[in-house]
Amino acid sequence: MNKKRLPVLILILLLLLSGCGKSEDSTTQMTIYRAVSPAYRTDGELLRAEKISFTPGVGIINSAIAAFNAAPETQELQNPLPEGGRIVGYRLQNGALRLQTEGCGDLKGHELTLFCCSAVLTFCSIDGVKTVSIYSVDEELSPPLSENDIMLADTSA
Amino acid sequence: MFNKSKERRKPTGSVQFKFIVSFFTLIAALLVILNTYPLIASRDLVFREKESAIMSQASVISSSLSALDGLSADSVAQVMELLDVTGYSRIIVTDGAALVLYDTAEHSGIGKYALFSEVDRALGGEQVFWSRFEGGAFTSRAAIPVFRRGVTLGAVYLCEYDAEQASLIMGIQNQLSTISIATCALALFLTVVFSRALTARITSLAQAIRVVSGGDYAHRVELVGNDELTELSNEFNNLTERLEITEQQRRRFVSDASHELKTPLASILLLSHSIVQSKDMDIGMMREFVTDIGSEAERLQRTTDKLLTLSRRDDGINNGKAPVDVGEVVRSTMRLLTPLAEADRVSIEYTLEEGCIVSASEDDIYQVIFNLAENAIKYNVPGGSVFITVRGEGEHVLLTVEDTGIGIPELDRPLIFSRFYRVDKARSREAGGSGLGLSIVRDTVLALGGDIEVSPREPHGTRFVVSFPCWIGEGDAE
């Protein structure tokens, strides 16, 4: 074998081996906040985190949006989005994430609060996201909120 | 069985241990109830009192806020300042979207969203209250909606942390626990003392039973107190006394029986040795000796027959019962005894009432009449008389046998029915008596449900009166 070609072959082999190693564990986990179904809310939490595995190939925020739009894995939880509603896009600028929704324009009051808080807690857990605002077309459903704007339990006593 | 009683008993198997465990468990259960029930009742009372107070306060706030056109941080703050509500660790007022408009907490949550389940339910129209006792304090939370014209404007949330009443209840709980532990210790001590006193008497009784089982029939248990154990000990003493008497009678009987059997046997042995050892005994003397041997053998046979009869009576073996005419049995018995009476020059007179029928076996009635009449003849005087009467009296048939003989001394009268008892031993043996006849009579009469009495006859002689129950025919019985 030509001695000049040997380092090239070793390099190719190492690259192939490193590729095989990555394919074994290509998924990671993220936290998606869901609304607890009304039947399970008695003296307990309203929102609960659900661990979701995803493949970070399409970008973490896109993966989070897809997971958020999907149905929860247990019947104790429910998607805070209204029926037919979903997050369709986003824009991230200087840590401020603007989510664009579809079919959520009719949400009001406490139901809107649950949806917005779920989204804020979910997307603020992603590195690089500080605040989350939600829009339906051009209408602002929620001003920019961070995790600190939400109290999940009274810890005063 | 004896070995089993001697086996080493486990401490947990003793009556004392069981008594202690039972009593102590009962006391402990009572104390547990006394410790828990008042505390549970006290807590429930506090819960109810807090629910009433906090819900009333929340209602006042809600009513005041419902007068506003809309809820804003400023308007709510003004109302709350007017109400001047104190005593709560936190008061929150939210709008319809759970956005906090008013918050008394140190780190105020105004402008934040209160996603508490209580607020959520209040915004849904419910009135919520719960209180729990943990960590040495009562934590109570309440939330009620703020309505205006049927529309939910927001919610009022109150939280109270009360360590004072909790401390009071815990103090009572500690005192109760201390008292309970002391009571338990005292109960345990008293249980041990009382159970030991109780079981000591049982142990003493068991020890006495073992002593008596070993053959010491004179042993008695000391009677203490006047309870069931005293009664049991008394019954044990009575039983042991009867056992002692029975054992004495048995020993005397065996001794007497041995003696009664040994005497004719010794005579037979002596006579037979005399015949064997005498080389030139004449035929007349030899015949006399052989006759004596025959007499002694007959006596031996009579004694063993009577012992057999008594033994059968003792074993409860009864001859079959049937209607028996006592007068008829008297007649047939007299026919058998007439030669004996003639030989002793004793006359027999009898008066027999018709229809004196008893339920018995004919052999039993014969035994009674024969033995009494034979004694009346044997222990009479030459030229004397025997009077036999059978008559009915109410539901009884009375058989009276009287003689004009030598009579029975008063001291001997209670003993004449004892086995092998003889008033005049020499005369009895001479007359061929075994000392068992009257015992057989007494046992037979008692077995038939009757009774026998002996009394002196004036001017001399003895009178036996036997009472049998009348036979009641099938038609009469109905």
Side-chain angles (χ1 to χ4, degrees), chain A residues 43-44 110 113 148-149 151 154, chain B residues 90 97 113 115 117 120 157:
Chain A
D43 294 334
H110 194 49
T113 302
N148 296 329
D149 295 319
M151 295 186 291
D154 179 11
Chain B
R90 191 171 198 179
Y113 288 95
L115 298 187
S117 62
D120 172 64
Y157 168 86

Side-chain angles (χ1 to χ4, degrees), chain B residues 32-48:
Chain B
V32 166
I33 291 168
L34 286 174
N35 266 268
T36 52
Y37 179 74
L39 292 172
I40 291 170
S42 302
R43 285 179 196 175
D44 286 347
L45 198 67
V46 172
F47 289 150
R48 280 198 295 274

Side-chain angles (χ1 to χ4, degrees), chain B residues 201 205 221-237:
Chain B
R201 292 167 66 193
L205 192 57
V221 176
E222 187 185 352
L223 299 178
V224 180
N226 188 26
D227 55 12
E228 288 86 347
L229 281 177
T230 313
E231 194 179 340
L232 185 65
S233 302
N234 191 37
E235 288 298 324
F236 169 78
N237 285 345

Side-chain angles (χ1 to χ4, degrees), chain B residues 69-380:
Chain B
D69 289 334
L71 298 183
S72 66
D74 292 337
S75 61
V76 170
Q78 283 174 5
V79 171
M80 294 304 292
E81 193 176 347
L82 285 171
L83 290 173
D84 192 23
V85 181
T86 55
Y88 293 95
S89 56
R90 191 171 198 179
I91 301 172
I92 290 175
V93 178
T94 73
D95 66 5
L99 183 66
V100 177
L101 303 173
Y102 178 84
D103 189 358
T104 61
E106 189 179 349
H107 302 290
S108 176
I110 293 174
K112 296 181 180 181
Y113 288 95
L115 298 187
F116 310 156
S117 62
E118 298 85 0
V119 173
D120 172 64
R121 289 169 63 188
L123 291 174
E126 288 182 55
Q127 293 196 347
V128 185
F129 174 84
W130 62 260
S131 183
R132 68 169 64 105
F133 178 78
E134 61 181 12
F138 285 99
T139 304
S140 308
R141 292 182 183 182
I144 63 171
V146 180
F147 288 120
R148 181 177 169 80
R149 293 171 188 163
V151 177
T152 306
L153 295 180
V156 176
Y157 168 86
L158 282 86
C159 174
E160 186 196 63
Y161 182 82
D162 184 358
E164 196 175 333
Q165 289 201 61
S167 169
L168 194 67
I169 287 178
M170 285 175 76
I172 294 170
Q173 188 173 17
N174 289 337
Q175 283 179 358
L176 276 175
S177 299
T178 308
I179 292 167
S180 298
I181 289 167
T183 308
C184 269
L186 184 65
L188 185 63
F189 172 72
L190 290 175
T191 307
V192 169
V193 170
F194 287 138
S195 64
R196 184 167 289 175
L198 184 73
T199 53
R201 292 167 66 193
I202 296 173
T203 308
S204 166
L205 192 57
Q207 178 67 25
I209 290 169
R210 278 196 287 275
V211 169
V212 172
S213 300
D216 182 4
Y217 298 109
H219 186 80
R220 297 289 182 275
V221 176
E222 187 185 352
L223 299 178
V224 180
N226 188 26
D227 55 12
E228 288 86 347
L229 281 177
T230 313
E231 194 179 340
L232 185 65
S233 302
N234 191 37
E235 288 298 324
F236 169 78
N237 285 345
N238 291 339
L239 184 71
T240 311
E241 192 177 339
R242 284 198 294 276
L243 201 61
E244 188 180 15
I245 292 168
T246 307
E247 179 62 14
Q248 283 171 355
Q249 287 174 343
R250 186 189 67 79
R251 285 181 182 171
R252 193 164 59 240
F253 178 78
V254 170
S255 171
D256 291 346
S258 304
H259 180 72
E260 290 301 324
L261 296 174
K262 195 173 72 178
T263 305
L265 279 174
S267 299
I268 290 168
L269 200 63
L270 182 65
L271 290 165
S272 59
H273 278 181
S274 299
I275 292 169
V276 169
Q277 286 174 358
S278 177
K279 293 177 181 174
D280 51 355
M281 182 180 280
D282 63 76
I283 191 76
M285 185 172 283
M286 187 178 289
R287 190 180 292 277
E288 190 183 336
F289 276 24
V290 171
T291 305
D292 288 345
I293 288 172
S295 298
E296 291 300 317
E298 279 175 6
R299 201 169 120 197
L300 202 57
Q301 190 180 21
R302 279 197 301 276
T303 304
T304 51
D305 283 348
K306 288 185 176 179
L307 281 173
L308 190 62
T309 303
L310 281 169
S311 174
R312 286 164 63 83
R313 281 265 167 249
D314 289 344
D315 291 343
I317 299 170
N318 291 315
N319 298 324
K321 287 184 178 179
V324 176
D325 188 334
V326 179
E328 281 302 314
V329 181
V330 169
R331 282 192 192 93
S332 61
T333 309
M334 289 312 107
R335 279 195 289 277
L336 292 172
L337 286 173
T338 299
L340 177 66
E342 285 174 355
D344 288 357
R345 290 189 288 142
V346 173
S347 66
I348 301 175
E349 294 177 29
Y350 48 83
T351 309
L352 306 175
E353 193 177 294
E354 291 297 318
C356 290
I357 297 172
V358 298
S359 176
S361 82
E362 196 169 324
D363 283 349
D364 285 347
I365 300 298
Y366 168 76
Q367 285 275 5
V368 172
I369 296 168
F370 185 88
N371 278 301
L372 290 175
E374 188 188 34
N375 281 354
I377 294 167
K378 280 182 180 174
Y379 301 107
N380 217 316

